[in-house]
Amino acid sequence: MVISMRKCLASLKFLLVFAALTYTLYQLFGLIGAWITPVDHYRIPEGHAVKAFQPSDKAKSGEMMGDRLRFFYWYGE
């Protein structure tokens, strides 16, 4: 069995370039994700914005969790 040094080096070069490009793409996606994501997810909204979820007591409103889930899927809110 003959092992070609040229083929081994070409394969090694391919693997190194592939790993470097994969790592670079991973870091690029991380930077884009950090740029898109807001700094504070739980801050109080400004302007005309309102909080989408307001915790409420089930006994006060009389709604069951199934009704709320059905409402969510029906209206997409």
Side-chain angles (χ1 to χ4, degrees):
M1 178 174 187
V2 178
I3 298 175
S4 172
M5 191 63 135
R6 190 171 287 154
K7 286 185 181 180
C8 287
L9 289 176
S11 297
L12 182 64
K13 179 182 168 185
F14 174 77
L15 286 175
L16 287 175
V17 170
F18 180 75
L21 289 175
T22 302
Y23 180 75
T24 303
L25 190 63
Y26 176 76
Q27 292 297 325
L28 181 67
F29 284 156
L31 287 173
I32 291 171
W35 178 62
I36 290 174
T37 305
V39 177
D40 185 12
H41 303 284
Y42 303 106
R43 69 179 170 77
I44 297 173
E46 304 170 345
H48 297 292
V50 295
K51 277 213 171 268
F53 178 75
Q54 308 232 341
S56 63
D57 189 17
K58 184 171 62 170
K60 265 196 312 188
S61 64
E63 291 181 337
M64 298 298 292
M65 191 54 129
D67 294 335
R68 292 186 67 190
L69 186 62
R70 191 175 307 113
F71 182 76
F72 174 79
Y73 285 125
W74 185 262
Y75 291 107
E77 294 181 357

